[in-house]
Amino acid sequence: MVRQVAFSSDKHCTRKITVFDTTLRDGEQTPGVSFSPSDKIEIAHQLSDIGVHIIEAGFPASSADEYSTVKAIAAENLNSIVCGLARSVKQDVDRCIDAGVDMVHVFIPTSEVQRIHTIRKSHEEVVAITGEIVRYARDHADKVLFSAMDATRTSIPELIEVYTTAVEAGATAINVPDTVGVATPTSMRAMIDALRPKIPVTIDVHCHNDFGMATANTISAVEAGADQVQVTVNGIGERAGNADLACTVMVIESIFGCDTGIQTERLVETSRMISRFSGIMVPPTYPVTGEFAFSHESGIHSQGVIENSSTFEPGIMTPEMVGHRRRLKLGKHVGRHAIREMLNQVHISPDDTQMDDIISRIKQISSKGKKVTEHDLYEIAETVTGASAGGRYVELVDIAIMTGNHMIPTATVRARVNGVEEVCCRTGNGAVDAAIKALIGTVPKPAVLKEFNISAISEGSDAIGHVTLVVEDEKGRLFDAAASGDDVVLASTEAMINAINMVYRNGRNNH
């Protein structure tokens, strides 16, 4: 027997799935993460701008600072509903109301293990408290969300009783949290199946990622009839985190064709903002927003996507849909189609013999564990073919660095830019930061440093440092370059010059 699901895979789904983002609350429960009030306001605006329906701004009763931040976000006149979290006590609800939030989210533990060990209450007491606190919250707010904490470890009959009590007391939505991430897609689906006929209001789900199933459990809940998903940007949150915003939205939008109202082309932009504020970088292989999500190295993969991107990408989700870019990567598995495509962009056309030599050199470098950059490719191609990929737009003439434990690191760069000498002085967090900022200041073409890494390739205090970096041009294209030397400041400067020259070279060749 085939089970009828709530989603339709024919891309004609008429359901509207509400996105409830808890990054501002759950993100700060990630060890080591603490957003400043200004960070939180900027994040709230970003979430609102991309179409998030509800933003949980924080827990106003937890501290005076948290209260003032939630109040400030509530006063920003966002397009999103602003929600405040509260325990099942009237003082917490009052703090939410005083902060001016649009929605109050009250919660109480319902599983036996949490009832006994966290609040020391019986099930009957929890039901009574639920009715009282939801009724009180609804008397003061138009929208009230009720959560049965640890719902997935609560028996179905007890869960139905507490949720029914909440709805009868005025809850406008109920939340089903998988608080410690022990649900599976099958068990989550069964739970929502049991609740949906009994609950006449919005069913929301909040899944944790302890076993890596948060997004899958969230999707399974929606398939079973849940209307609303709680997510965080980059999946950040306590322990192993929560269901990821980008992954959840793109499954709902691309695979099932349902509408979330999210501007999906801004997902990568939003992911990078949270990485910057949280200090937690997204792994390169992370789905949807990771650096390698639409990158290809293998010869057969590169050939396929050059001919038709759907060969080795989902097709129903393209890089442009999420604000990403497809990249052909260089390494020991690279094929001639990818190399020829990359060289065509800078008008270098090697013959078959020269192509074999170029590929051989790239694979030799890669087999030694060294990352091969686009700059390396162009240098190799110029050497093998004798052709020029466009010359050097920027050449370093001189650089001077002043730094010390009682002074702000300062760099002065003198560079020849398109034949004209330019000078720029900048300060930075360190010598390398100051030098790169000064170098960028000499060129008119915008270039934003996106990634920067230094590794030692020899031992001792005079070790050779290998610098790899990625820059983004004004069109959002990414270019990587590298350089090595026993002076990491000079190596960093050289790598940045190599990257800027590629930005110029590709920009010129695209006119």
Short mmCIF file of all heavy atoms in Angstrom, two decimals, residues 222-275:
data_model
loop_
_atom_site.label_atom_id
_atom_site.label_comp_id
_atom_site.label_asym_id
_atom_site.label_seq_id
_atom_site.Cartn_x
_atom_site.Cartn_y
_atom_site.Cartn_z
N VAL A 222 7.07 17.75 7.98
CA VAL A 222 6.27 18.55 7.04
C VAL A 222 5.53 17.64 6.07
O VAL A 222 4.37 17.89 5.72
CB VAL A 222 7.16 19.56 6.28
CG1 VAL A 222 6.36 20.34 5.27
CG2 VAL A 222 7.83 20.51 7.27
N GLU A 223 6.17 16.56 5.65
CA GLU A 223 5.47 15.59 4.79
C GLU A 223 4.22 15.04 5.49
O GLU A 223 3.21 14.76 4.84
CB GLU A 223 6.41 14.43 4.45
CG GLU A 223 7.45 14.76 3.40
CD GLU A 223 8.22 13.52 2.98
OE1 GLU A 223 8.95 12.95 3.81
OE2 GLU A 223 8.10 13.13 1.80
N ALA A 224 4.32 14.89 6.81
CA ALA A 224 3.20 14.34 7.57
C ALA A 224 2.13 15.37 7.91
O ALA A 224 1.09 15.03 8.46
CB ALA A 224 3.71 13.69 8.86
N GLY A 225 2.40 16.65 7.59
CA GLY A 225 1.37 17.67 7.81
C GLY A 225 1.75 18.84 8.67
O GLY A 225 0.91 19.72 8.92
N ALA A 226 2.99 18.91 9.17
CA ALA A 226 3.42 20.10 9.91
C ALA A 226 3.43 21.30 8.98
O ALA A 226 3.74 21.19 7.79
CB ALA A 226 4.80 19.87 10.53
N ASP A 227 3.10 22.46 9.53
CA ASP A 227 2.95 23.67 8.71
C ASP A 227 4.15 24.61 8.82
O ASP A 227 4.31 25.52 8.00
CB ASP A 227 1.74 24.47 9.18
CG ASP A 227 0.53 23.60 9.46
OD1 ASP A 227 -0.13 23.21 8.50
OD2 ASP A 227 0.27 23.32 10.65
N GLN A 228 4.96 24.43 9.85
CA GLN A 228 5.98 25.43 10.17
C GLN A 228 7.27 24.73 10.59
O GLN A 228 7.25 23.73 11.31
CB GLN A 228 5.45 26.30 11.31
CG GLN A 228 6.28 27.52 11.66
CD GLN A 228 5.47 28.46 12.53
OE1 GLN A 228 4.58 29.16 12.05
NE2 GLN A 228 5.77 28.49 13.82
N VAL A 229 8.41 25.28 10.14
CA VAL A 229 9.71 24.67 10.46
C VAL A 229 10.58 25.66 11.22
O VAL A 229 10.70 26.82 10.85
CB VAL A 229 10.44 24.20 9.19
CG1 VAL A 229 9.69 23.04 8.55
CG2 VAL A 229 10.62 25.33 8.17
N GLN A 230 11.18 25.18 12.31
CA GLN A 230 12.15 26.01 13.03
C GLN A 230 13.55 25.60 12.56
O GLN A 230 13.89 24.42 12.56
CB GLN A 230 12.01 25.81 14.55
CG GLN A 230 10.75 26.42 15.11
CD GLN A 230 10.80 26.60 16.63
OE1 GLN A 230 11.85 26.50 17.25
NE2 GLN A 230 9.65 26.87 17.22
N VAL A 231 14.34 26.60 12.20
CA VAL A 231 15.66 26.36 11.61
C VAL A 231 16.63 27.42 12.13
O VAL A 231 16.23 28.43 12.71
CB VAL A 231 15.60 26.44 10.07
CG1 VAL A 231 14.80 25.29 9.48
CG2 VAL A 231 15.00 27.79 9.62
N THR A 232 17.91 27.17 11.91
CA THR A 232 18.93 28.18 12.17
C THR A 232 19.84 28.27 10.96
O THR A 232 20.01 27.31 10.21
CB THR A 232 19.79 27.85 13.41
OG1 THR A 232 20.52 26.64 13.17
CG2 THR A 232 18.94 27.71 14.66
N VAL A 233 20.45 29.43 10.77
CA VAL A 233 21.40 29.60 9.66
C VAL A 233 22.65 28.79 9.97
O VAL A 233 23.19 28.83 11.08
CB VAL A 233 21.76 31.09 9.47
CG1 VAL A 233 22.74 31.24 8.30
CG2 VAL A 233 20.50 31.92 9.23
N ASN A 234 23.09 28.01 9.00
CA ASN A 234 24.25 27.12 9.11
C ASN A 234 24.03 26.00 10.12
O ASN A 234 24.97 25.30 10.50
CB ASN A 234 25.53 27.89 9.47
CG ASN A 234 25.92 28.90 8.40
OD1 ASN A 234 25.47 28.80 7.26
ND2 ASN A 234 26.74 29.87 8.77
N GLY A 235 22.78 25.85 10.59
CA GLY A 235 22.48 24.78 11.53
C GLY A 235 23.09 24.96 12.90
O GLY A 235 23.17 24.01 13.68
N ILE A 236 23.53 26.19 13.25
CA ILE A 236 24.19 26.38 14.54
C ILE A 236 23.19 26.23 15.68
O ILE A 236 21.99 26.41 15.51
CB ILE A 236 24.92 27.74 14.63
CG1 ILE A 236 23.95 28.91 14.48
CG2 ILE A 236 26.01 27.83 13.57
CD1 ILE A 236 24.61 30.27 14.68
N GLY A 237 23.70 25.90 16.84
CA GLY A 237 22.85 25.70 18.01
C GLY A 237 23.58 24.85 19.02
O GLY A 237 24.71 24.41 18.79
N GLU A 238 22.95 24.62 20.15
CA GLU A 238 23.62 23.88 21.22
C GLU A 238 23.96 22.46 20.77
O GLU A 238 23.30 21.88 19.91
CB GLU A 238 22.74 23.85 22.47
CG GLU A 238 21.37 23.22 22.29
CD GLU A 238 20.48 23.44 23.50
OE1 GLU A 238 21.01 23.54 24.61
OE2 GLU A 238 19.25 23.50 23.32
N ARG A 239 25.01 21.92 21.35
CA ARG A 239 25.54 20.59 21.02
C ARG A 239 25.84 20.50 19.52
O ARG A 239 26.70 21.21 19.01
CB ARG A 239 24.58 19.50 21.50
CG ARG A 239 24.29 19.52 23.00
CD ARG A 239 23.47 18.32 23.44
NE ARG A 239 22.34 18.03 22.60
CZ ARG A 239 21.15 18.64 22.68
NH1 ARG A 239 20.95 19.58 23.61
NH2 ARG A 239 20.17 18.31 21.87
N ALA A 240 25.13 19.62 18.81
CA ALA A 240 25.40 19.43 17.38
C ALA A 240 24.56 20.34 16.49
O ALA A 240 24.62 20.24 15.26
CB ALA A 240 25.15 17.96 16.99
N GLY A 241 23.80 21.24 17.10
CA GLY A 241 23.07 22.22 16.32
C GLY A 241 21.64 21.81 15.98
O GLY A 241 21.08 20.89 16.58
N ASN A 242 21.07 22.53 15.02
CA ASN A 242 19.66 22.40 14.66
C ASN A 242 19.50 22.17 13.17
O ASN A 242 20.48 22.14 12.43
CB ASN A 242 18.91 23.69 15.04
CG ASN A 242 18.97 23.98 16.52
OD1 ASN A 242 19.98 24.49 17.02
ND2 ASN A 242 17.92 23.67 17.23
N ALA A 243 18.26 22.02 12.74
CA ALA A 243 17.98 21.91 11.30
C ALA A 243 18.48 23.17 10.60
O ALA A 243 18.28 24.29 11.08
CB ALA A 243 16.49 21.72 11.07
N ASP A 244 19.11 22.99 9.46
CA ASP A 244 19.71 24.10 8.73
C ASP A 244 18.67 24.83 7.86
O ASP A 244 17.87 24.18 7.17
CB ASP A 244 20.84 23.58 7.84
CG ASP A 244 21.44 24.64 6.96
OD1 ASP A 244 22.14 25.51 7.49
OD2 ASP A 244 21.18 24.63 5.74
N LEU A 245 18.71 26.14 7.89
CA LEU A 245 17.78 26.96 7.10
C LEU A 245 17.87 26.65 5.62
O LEU A 245 16.87 26.33 4.96
CB LEU A 245 18.07 28.45 7.34
CG LEU A 245 17.41 29.45 6.39
CD1 LEU A 245 15.90 29.45 6.58
CD2 LEU A 245 17.97 30.85 6.60
N ALA A 246 19.09 26.75 5.05
CA ALA A 246 19.25 26.59 3.60
C ALA A 246 18.86 25.19 3.14
O ALA A 246 18.14 25.04 2.13
CB ALA A 246 20.69 26.90 3.20
N CYS A 247 19.32 24.17 3.85
CA CYS A 247 19.01 22.79 3.45
C CYS A 247 17.51 22.53 3.52
O CYS A 247 16.92 21.96 2.59
CB CYS A 247 19.75 21.80 4.34
SG CYS A 247 21.55 21.84 4.17
N THR A 248 16.88 22.94 4.61
CA THR A 248 15.45 22.70 4.79
C THR A 248 14.63 23.41 3.72
O THR A 248 13.75 22.82 3.10
CB THR A 248 15.00 23.15 6.19
OG1 THR A 248 15.78 22.47 7.19
CG2 THR A 248 13.53 22.86 6.42
N VAL A 249 14.95 24.68 3.50
CA VAL A 249 14.20 25.47 2.51
C VAL A 249 14.36 24.89 1.11
O VAL A 249 13.38 24.76 0.37
CB VAL A 249 14.67 26.94 2.55
CG1 VAL A 249 14.21 27.69 1.30
CG2 VAL A 249 14.12 27.63 3.80
N MET A 250 15.59 24.49 0.74
CA MET A 250 15.80 24.01 -0.62
C MET A 250 15.17 22.65 -0.86
O MET A 250 14.74 22.35 -1.98
CB MET A 250 17.29 23.99 -0.96
CG MET A 250 17.91 25.39 -1.04
SD MET A 250 16.93 26.59 -2.01
CE MET A 250 16.98 25.85 -3.65
N VAL A 251 15.09 21.79 0.16
CA VAL A 251 14.35 20.54 0.00
C VAL A 251 12.88 20.84 -0.26
O VAL A 251 12.26 20.29 -1.18
CB VAL A 251 14.51 19.63 1.24
CG1 VAL A 251 13.54 18.45 1.16
CG2 VAL A 251 15.93 19.11 1.37
N ILE A 252 12.32 21.73 0.55
CA ILE A 252 10.90 22.06 0.41
C ILE A 252 10.62 22.73 -0.95
O ILE A 252 9.66 22.39 -1.64
CB ILE A 252 10.45 22.98 1.55
CG1 ILE A 252 10.50 22.22 2.89
CG2 ILE A 252 9.03 23.51 1.31
CD1 ILE A 252 10.28 23.11 4.11
N GLU A 253 11.50 23.66 -1.34
CA GLU A 253 11.28 24.41 -2.58
C GLU A 253 11.62 23.58 -3.82
O GLU A 253 10.83 23.51 -4.77
CB GLU A 253 12.16 25.67 -2.57
CG GLU A 253 11.77 26.69 -1.53
CD GLU A 253 10.95 27.83 -2.10
OE1 GLU A 253 10.78 27.89 -3.33
OE2 GLU A 253 10.49 28.67 -1.31
N SER A 254 12.80 22.95 -3.84
CA SER A 254 13.29 22.32 -5.07
C SER A 254 12.79 20.90 -5.27
O SER A 254 12.45 20.52 -6.40
CB SER A 254 14.83 22.32 -5.08
OG SER A 254 15.33 23.63 -5.18
N ILE A 255 12.79 20.10 -4.22
CA ILE A 255 12.37 18.71 -4.39
C ILE A 255 10.85 18.58 -4.42
O ILE A 255 10.30 17.85 -5.25
CB ILE A 255 12.97 17.83 -3.27
CG1 ILE A 255 14.51 17.80 -3.40
CG2 ILE A 255 12.41 16.41 -3.35
CD1 ILE A 255 15.22 16.96 -2.36
N PHE A 256 10.17 19.32 -3.53
CA PHE A 256 8.72 19.17 -3.44
C PHE A 256 7.94 20.32 -4.08
O PHE A 256 6.72 20.23 -4.19
CB PHE A 256 8.31 19.00 -1.98
CG PHE A 256 8.86 17.74 -1.37
CD1 PHE A 256 9.88 17.79 -0.45
CD2 PHE A 256 8.37 16.50 -1.74
CE1 PHE A 256 10.40 16.64 0.11
CE2 PHE A 256 8.89 15.34 -1.20
CZ PHE A 256 9.91 15.40 -0.27
N GLY A 257 8.62 21.39 -4.45
CA GLY A 257 7.94 22.46 -5.17
C GLY A 257 6.98 23.27 -4.35
O GLY A 257 6.09 23.93 -4.88
N CYS A 258 7.14 23.24 -3.03
CA CYS A 258 6.29 24.06 -2.16
C CYS A 258 6.92 25.43 -1.91
O CYS A 258 8.14 25.58 -2.01
CB CYS A 258 6.04 23.35 -0.83
SG CYS A 258 5.03 21.88 -0.98
N ASP A 259 6.11 26.38 -1.55
CA ASP A 259 6.57 27.75 -1.35
C ASP A 259 6.91 28.01 0.11
O ASP A 259 6.11 27.72 1.00
CB ASP A 259 5.47 28.72 -1.82
CG ASP A 259 5.89 30.18 -1.69
OD1 ASP A 259 7.11 30.44 -1.70
OD2 ASP A 259 5.00 31.04 -1.58
N THR A 260 8.09 28.57 0.35
CA THR A 260 8.46 28.99 1.70
C THR A 260 8.51 30.51 1.83
O THR A 260 8.62 31.03 2.94
CB THR A 260 9.85 28.45 2.09
OG1 THR A 260 10.84 29.01 1.21
CG2 THR A 260 9.90 26.93 2.01
N GLY A 261 8.46 31.21 0.70
CA GLY A 261 8.54 32.66 0.74
C GLY A 261 9.95 33.19 0.93
O GLY A 261 10.15 34.41 1.02
N ILE A 262 10.94 32.31 0.99
CA ILE A 262 12.33 32.72 1.20
C ILE A 262 12.98 33.11 -0.13
O ILE A 262 12.80 32.43 -1.15
CB ILE A 262 13.15 31.58 1.85
CG1 ILE A 262 12.56 31.22 3.22
CG2 ILE A 262 14.62 31.97 1.99
CD1 ILE A 262 12.63 32.32 4.25
N GLN A 263 13.73 34.21 -0.12
CA GLN A 263 14.53 34.59 -1.29
C GLN A 263 15.76 33.68 -1.32
O GLN A 263 16.80 34.00 -0.76
CB GLN A 263 14.94 36.05 -1.22
CG GLN A 263 13.79 37.04 -1.28
CD GLN A 263 14.28 38.48 -1.23
OE1 GLN A 263 15.37 38.81 -1.70
NE2 GLN A 263 13.48 39.34 -0.62
N THR A 264 15.63 32.57 -1.98
CA THR A 264 16.68 31.55 -1.92
C THR A 264 18.01 32.01 -2.49
O THR A 264 19.06 31.52 -2.08
CB THR A 264 16.23 30.27 -2.64
OG1 THR A 264 16.02 30.55 -4.03
CG2 THR A 264 14.96 29.71 -2.02
N GLU A 265 17.98 32.96 -3.41
CA GLU A 265 19.23 33.44 -4.00
C GLU A 265 20.09 34.21 -3.00
O GLU A 265 21.24 34.56 -3.29
CB GLU A 265 18.95 34.31 -5.22
CG GLU A 265 18.25 35.63 -4.96
CD GLU A 265 16.73 35.53 -4.85
OE1 GLU A 265 16.21 34.39 -4.86
OE2 GLU A 265 16.07 36.59 -4.75
N ARG A 266 19.57 34.44 -1.79
CA ARG A 266 20.36 35.13 -0.76
C ARG A 266 20.78 34.19 0.37
O ARG A 266 21.26 34.64 1.41
CB ARG A 266 19.54 36.30 -0.20
CG ARG A 266 19.17 37.34 -1.26
CD ARG A 266 18.46 38.54 -0.68
NE ARG A 266 19.33 39.32 0.19
CZ ARG A 266 18.95 40.41 0.85
NH1 ARG A 266 17.70 40.85 0.73
NH2 ARG A 266 19.79 41.06 1.62
N LEU A 267 20.64 32.89 0.16
CA LEU A 267 21.00 31.93 1.20
C LEU A 267 22.50 31.89 1.47
O LEU A 267 22.93 31.84 2.63
CB LEU A 267 20.49 30.54 0.83
CG LEU A 267 18.97 30.35 0.91
CD1 LEU A 267 18.56 29.00 0.34
CD2 LEU A 267 18.48 30.50 2.35
N VAL A 268 23.30 31.90 0.42
CA VAL A 268 24.76 31.88 0.62
C VAL A 268 25.22 33.17 1.31
O VAL A 268 26.03 33.14 2.24
CB VAL A 268 25.49 31.69 -0.73
CG1 VAL A 268 26.99 31.92 -0.56
CG2 VAL A 268 25.26 30.29 -1.27
N GLU A 269 24.68 34.27 0.88
CA GLU A 269 25.00 35.57 1.50
C GLU A 269 24.68 35.54 3.00
O GLU A 269 25.48 36.00 3.83
CB GLU A 269 24.17 36.64 0.79
CG GLU A 269 24.10 37.99 1.45
CD GLU A 269 22.98 38.87 0.87
OE1 GLU A 269 22.71 38.76 -0.36
OE2 GLU A 269 22.38 39.63 1.62
N THR A 270 23.52 34.99 3.34
CA THR A 270 23.11 34.92 4.75
C THR A 270 24.01 33.97 5.53
O THR A 270 24.40 34.26 6.67
CB THR A 270 21.64 34.47 4.85
OG1 THR A 270 20.84 35.35 4.06
CG2 THR A 270 21.15 34.48 6.28
N SER A 271 24.35 32.85 4.93
CA SER A 271 25.26 31.89 5.57
C SER A 271 26.59 32.53 5.90
O SER A 271 27.14 32.35 6.99
CB SER A 271 25.45 30.68 4.64
OG SER A 271 26.48 29.84 5.12
N ARG A 272 27.13 33.29 4.97
CA ARG A 272 28.44 33.92 5.18
C ARG A 272 28.36 35.00 6.27
O ARG A 272 29.32 35.20 7.03
CB ARG A 272 28.97 34.49 3.86
CG ARG A 272 29.39 33.40 2.88
CD ARG A 272 29.77 33.94 1.52
NE ARG A 272 30.23 32.86 0.65
CZ ARG A 272 30.44 33.00 -0.64
NH1 ARG A 272 30.24 34.18 -1.24
NH2 ARG A 272 30.87 31.97 -1.37
N MET A 273 27.23 35.68 6.35
CA MET A 273 27.07 36.68 7.41
C MET A 273 27.14 36.01 8.77
O MET A 273 27.84 36.49 9.68
CB MET A 273 25.73 37.41 7.26
CG MET A 273 25.39 38.26 8.48
SD MET A 273 23.71 38.93 8.46
CE MET A 273 23.99 40.41 7.50
N ILE A 274 26.42 34.90 8.95
CA ILE A 274 26.42 34.22 10.24
C ILE A 274 27.79 33.63 10.54
O ILE A 274 28.23 33.64 11.70
CB ILE A 274 25.32 33.14 10.28
CG1 ILE A 274 23.94 33.78 10.10
CG2 ILE A 274 25.39 32.36 11.59
CD1 ILE A 274 23.60 34.85 11.13
N SER A 275 28.48 33.14 9.54
CA SER A 275 29.86 32.66 9.75
C SER A 275 30.74 33.77 10.28
O SER A 275 31.55 33.56 11.19
CB SER A 275 30.43 32.10 8.44
OG SER A 275 29.81 30.91 8.08
#
